């Protein structure tokens, strides 16, 4: 299956600053990537679908101006949390949809964001 | 729209005992079904999936799941668990055709005690 690299694995930032999280598909050209947010002991919440070369599709209730997504190439999507607040602290995970008959999804290792 | 229900938020079990993690789904059309495992502070890893064919699917580490269409279930089982199986397990469903975005259950925390 696809190999997905997510960086950084952990980041601590001050309130009001911005943080960029990278998601790379190492061996697969991904036209679509997904960004999830996971709260403690909760399931994954889909935040947005990242589309290569076009605007991301955000889920209802997700602020697109706060969570900026850029998918400039077939192997890289970035999520930037702007003007971070402590309530943005969470575990963020990206995912790539594998093509063909596999119908599976490969996930990055996640990024633990802590805003202080 | 489809939905996934994982009935147990936490399942404690002793090492070498059998375990079953329950998953039920709701959908008006046919679906693909998945189980993912998540270890602490890591992303999700695909454990097994049902796309078509045999209703019993197996993973390489001893887990199996059976698709039961009449009961709309896809329970995950292992006859003998190890300490290393302690993790969060997520059931997911995706519609055949239509939206390819999966819907995840809330997860079941499997805790294996020595």
């Amino acid at each position: 299956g696809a190999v997905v690299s997510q960086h950084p694995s952990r980041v601590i930032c001050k309130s009001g600053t911005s943080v960029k999280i990278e998601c790379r598909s190492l061996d697969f050209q991904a036209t679509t990537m997904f960004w999830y947010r996971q709260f403690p002991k909760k399931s994954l919440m889909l935040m947005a679908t990242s589309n290569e070369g076009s605007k991301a599709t955000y889920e209802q209730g997700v602020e697109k101006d706060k969570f900026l997504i850029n998918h400039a190439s077939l192997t890289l999507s970035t999520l930037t949390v702007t003007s971070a607040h402590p309530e943005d602290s969470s575990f963020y995970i990206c995912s790539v949809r594998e093509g063909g008959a596999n119908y599976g999804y490969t996930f990055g290792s996640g990024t633990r964001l802590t805003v202080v | 729209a489809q939905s996934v229900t994982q009935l147990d938020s936490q399942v404690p079990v002793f090492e070498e005992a059998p375990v079953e993690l329950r998953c039920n789904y709701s959908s008006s059309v046919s679906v693909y079904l998945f189980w993912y495992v998540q270890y602490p502070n890591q992303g999700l890893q695909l454990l097994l999936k049902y796309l078509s064919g045999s209703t019993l699917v197996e993973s390489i580490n001893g887990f199996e799941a059976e698709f039961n269409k009449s009961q709309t279930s896809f329970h995950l089982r292992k006859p003998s668990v190890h300490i290393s199986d302690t993790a969060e397990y997520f059931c997911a469903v995706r519609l055949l055709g239509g939206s390819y975005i999966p819907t995840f259950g809330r997860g079941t925390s499997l805790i294996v005690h020595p």
Side-chain angles (χ1 to χ4, degrees):
Chain A
V3 179
V4 178
S5 173
Q6 189 171 340
H7 179 80
S9 57
R10 290 176 180 272
V11 58
I12 301 173
C13 71
K14 292 183 177 181
S15 292
T17 62
S18 295
V19 173
K20 180 184 286 188
I21 303 170
E22 292 187 348
C23 181
R24 293 182 184 273
S25 176
L26 299 183
D27 61 348
F28 179 74
Q29 292 188 324
T31 56
T32 304
M33 293 185 180
F34 304 94
W35 287 97
Y36 291 87
R37 181 173 179 176
Q38 187 178 32
F39 297 92
K41 303 300 182 183
K42 297 290 185 183
S43 186
L44 294 92
M45 181 193 81
L46 179 66
M47 299 175 65
T49 302
S50 171
N51 304 298
E52 187 268 335
S54 64
K55 292 182 179 180
T57 303
Y58 288 82
E59 295 299 302
Q60 192 172 8
V62 178
E63 299 177 61
K64 60 181 68 177
D65 294 331
K66 180 166 186 60
F67 298 100
L68 300 179
I69 291 173
N70 183 279
H71 193 154
S73 76
L74 288 170
T75 59
L76 174 65
S77 176
T78 61
L79 167 67
T80 301
V81 182
T82 63
S83 187
H85 290 149
E87 56 263 32
D88 298 326
S89 298
S90 193
F91 195 58
Y92 294 87
I93 310 175
C94 70
S95 172
V96 168
R97 182 174 70 101
E98 297 180 32
N102 198 9
Y103 300 106
Y105 300 82
T106 299
F107 289 81
S109 55
T111 298
R112 173 73 60 192
L113 171 62
T114 303
V115 184
V116 298
Chain B
Q2 70 273 28
S3 66
V4 180
T5 302
Q6 289 183 248
L7 297 167
D8 306 299
S9 59
Q10 201 173 83
V11 174
V13 65
F14 287 107
E15 193 174 19
E16 297 183 5
V19 71
E20 178 180 83
L21 306 183
R22 296 179 291 172
C23 172
N24 287 86
Y25 69 93
S26 173
S27 174
S28 58
V29 299
S30 297
V31 297
Y32 299 127
L33 294 155
F34 306 85
W35 274 100
Y36 287 87
V37 59
Q38 183 182 33
Y39 299 101
N41 291 311
Q42 292 187 28
L44 278 70
Q45 301 172 33
L46 180 65
L47 194 58
L48 46 76
K49 62 190 176 190
Y50 171 78
L51 304 180
S52 64
S54 173
T55 57
L56 184 65
V57 291
E58 300 176 348
S59 72
I60 58 173
N61 56 354
F63 282 95
E64 64 179 32
E66 186 162 19
F67 170 54
N68 188 319
K69 188 174 182 179
S70 63
Q71 297 185 5
T72 60
S73 67
F74 191 55
H75 302 331
L76 181 70
R77 303 184 183 94
K78 189 169 185 179
S80 176
V81 295
H82 301 286
I83 295 286
S84 58
D85 292 324
T86 296
E88 195 78 19
Y89 291 80
F90 292 94
C91 182
V93 62
R94 210 209 90 182
L95 299 180
L96 267 70
S99 170
Y100 48 76
I101 299 175
T103 299
F104 288 88
R106 54 190 282 238
T108 297
S109 181
L110 175 62
I111 303 169
V112 181
H113 297 288

